[in-house]
Amino acid sequence: MTQSAAAPADSTGSALAKRPTASLSPSRAGDFLTCPLLYRFRSIDGLPEPPGPQAVRGTVVHSVLERLFDIPSAQRDADRAIALLPQVWTDLVGEQPQLPGLLFGPDDSWQVWLADGTASQPDPEAESGFLTGCEEFVSRYFTLEDPSRLQPAEREKAVSVELPTGLVLRGIIDRLDRAANGAVRVVDYKTGRAPGAGWEAKALFQMRFYGVILLHLLGEPPKRLELLYLGSGERIAVDPTESELRATERKIQAIWSAIDRAMQSGRWEASPSKLCEWCNFRDLCPAWGGTPPPLPEGSGPATA
């Protein structure tokens, strides 16, 4: 169910409490922090985006690492993990048959698919090269951890919690480990490179978002939040305190309040930055001479 853009603002959260379906994920919160107009294009307009090799690579590598823990612990090595890639790719293409053509077809494959739903024929060499590239990221995982010594409590775990204000926080945790003493560790795989100095806080916001959810679900903070960067073979970890997670919760609530105000006013400001170079919606952005489409009737944020 979508939100009504006409609902009155209320700084105490009472108006929001009447709308318990309002929800926010780390990705959509990150979109709004990056650029409110980007949030609008994705969550309000629901505009289609062409699949990019980096995003699809992340999906493939995540799936391999999820399935890795179905293998007996003594057999979890890089060769066995890489051997999972062909089946993972076959399964993904079975779910999205158009994917190879969109990724490895002619440059106009996306426009053709949007126009009539047909998929271009992929370039077999490009497709093969993509899977070979995925092997590098899978192999690098083994420089960061020894999976034969791990037995995750949860993998690709969907979690959600409703805050007292009615805002629902949602997310999918790549891996949740639980020690013998009950301590919980949250692990997230990234197929990019670790952020440079000064950007770690932004990277850890997603993990603290998960930490807030688990604080409410478990009644205590997770012991550790950990990011594994398979693009550079680096690890970023933090042991959050309850006070830190409460501060993150207030930040999340403030983000939602800003989203709520934008929905009521219909004003979604663009925030030009270096990231615009990779934005799929630049042709629609006023900062680049574009014109956004009209807002959908009764527009509100998608659950994400």
Side-chain angles (χ1 to χ4, degrees):
M1 185 167 62
T2 57
Q3 303 300 316
S4 170
D10 188 332
S11 60
T12 67
S14 60
L16 182 56
K18 298 175 183 177
R19 299 183 290 161
T21 56
S23 69
L24 196 60
S25 71
S27 297
R28 297 293 80 83
D31 285 346
F32 190 83
L33 289 173
T34 298
C35 175
L37 187 58
L38 173 63
Y39 176 96
R40 182 207 138 168
F41 286 151
R42 283 180 170 159
S43 296
I44 306 297
D45 298 283
L47 299 180
E49 295 186 74
Q54 293 182 347
V56 176
R57 180 181 66 204
T59 298
V60 170
V61 172
H62 275 71
S63 184
V64 167
L65 296 181
E66 179 185 8
R67 298 187 192 190
L68 175 65
F69 289 98
D70 291 329
I71 298 172
S73 58
Q75 301 174 31
R76 294 175 194 158
D77 58 26
D79 289 340
R80 286 298 300 271
I82 289 171
L84 294 172
L85 273 168
Q87 188 59 53
V88 166
W89 178 245
T90 297
D91 292 346
L92 183 59
V93 173
E95 297 170 0
Q96 304 178 53
Q98 76 281 3
L99 191 58
L102 294 176
L103 283 177
F104 313 118
D107 290 342
D108 64 349
S109 293
W110 176 246
Q111 286 76 18
V112 171
W113 186 77
L114 283 178
D116 60 16
T118 60
S120 303
Q121 289 299 311
D123 178 346
E125 291 187 6
E127 188 171 0
S128 176
F130 170 79
L131 291 177
T132 299
C134 289
E135 294 180 6
E136 176 184 348
F137 293 87
V138 172
S139 295
R140 193 170 288 125
Y141 164 73
F142 289 83
T143 69
L144 295 169
E145 288 188 321
D146 179 1
S148 69
R149 302 176 62 184
L150 299 170
Q151 194 55 52
E154 302 282 356
R155 288 169 283 162
E156 296 297 318
K157 174 69 172 178
V159 291
S160 66
V161 69
E162 183 176 330
L163 300 180
T165 59
L167 175 62
V168 175
L169 306 186
R170 303 180 184 274
I172 298 178
I173 294 174
D174 289 347
R175 199 181 84 219
L176 191 149
D177 301 334
R178 191 182 296 274
N181 64 0
V184 167
R185 175 175 65 168
V186 179
V187 179
D188 195 75
Y189 310 120
K190 298 295 186 186
T191 48
R193 302 182 66 83
W199 293 93
E200 295 91 343
K202 182 177 181 181
L204 283 168
F205 172 72
Q206 173 190 359
M207 303 304 288
R208 289 195 169 96
F209 195 111
Y210 293 145
V212 171
I213 295 176
L214 292 175
L215 174 62
H216 283 271
L217 294 179
L218 304 176
E220 61 182 7
K223 175 63 177 176
R224 173 156 292 194
L225 305 171
E226 199 163 286
L227 286 160
L228 301 183
Y229 284 92
L230 309 182
S232 55
E234 297 174 78
R235 179 195 312 268
I236 296 179
V238 64
D239 297 339
T241 65
E242 180 172 349
S243 62
E244 289 171 342
L245 294 181
R246 294 296 182 189
T248 299
E249 182 176 337
R250 291 191 293 272
K251 178 177 180 178
I252 293 169
Q253 194 68 60
I255 292 169
W256 178 259
S257 295
I259 292 172
D260 204 37
R261 289 194 297 271
M263 284 192 294
Q264 294 176 58
S265 67
R267 293 193 297 272
W268 299 91
E269 302 296 334
S271 298
S273 72
K274 292 181 179 179
L275 297 177
C276 294
E277 184 177 346
W278 295 280
C279 182
N280 290 313
F281 309 116
R282 194 161 69 168
D283 290 346
L284 298 174
C285 180
W288 296 90
T291 301
L295 280 164
E297 185 72 22
S299 59
T303 296

